[in-house]
Amino acid sequence: MHRAQEKGLVEIHIHNLRDYAYNKHRQIDDKPFGGRAGMVLKPEPFFECIEKLTSERKYDTIIYPSPRGKLFTQQDANGCLTDKYFIYHRAL
C-alpha cells in the first residue's frame, strides 16, 4: 500500500467514526446485549459514515468485513483493481 501511495496509484482516506456518533461523549462502542463481558461497536456510526461517503460519489465496491463473513483473499483484492472507487470498511 505504501509503495502504491508513493507512486500515486492509490489514495487512502481514513475517517474517524467518532465524527459520526451523536451522543454526548462521541462513543462508538457499547456493552453487549445480555450483559456479557467486553464491548461491541455500535453499527450506527459505520452506516452514517458509509451513507455520507456514498452521497458524495458512487462507489464500485463496498466491503464490510465481518467475523462471520467470507474471507477476503488475494483473488478478491485483485478483483478490486479495476474499481476506481471502493470502500474497505474495517474497525481498528
Side-chain angles (χ1 to χ4, degrees), residues 9-73:
L9 300 174
V10 66
E11 287 183 36
I12 299 172
H13 300 272
I14 298 172
H15 300 271
N16 185 354
L17 290 177
R18 289 185 185 271
D19 294 341
Y20 302 95
Y22 295 109
N23 57 17
K24 179 180 173 184
H25 300 289
R26 299 267 196 225
Q27 191 175 6
I28 61 169
D29 58 354
D30 202 357
K31 295 178 183 172
F33 183 76
R36 294 186 177 174
M39 299 294 277
V40 295
L41 292 174
K42 294 179 179 181
E44 294 87 356
F46 288 99
F47 292 113
E48 291 284 332
C49 180
I50 296 295
E51 284 180 14
K52 179 181 181 288
L53 294 173
T54 55
S55 72
E56 295 172 356
R57 77 163 46 120
K58 176 157 175 26
Y59 287 87
D60 302 314
T61 304
I62 300 175
I63 301 170
Y64 295 97
S66 165
R68 293 185 180 157
K70 177 181 167 254
L71 183 64
F72 187 71
T73 64

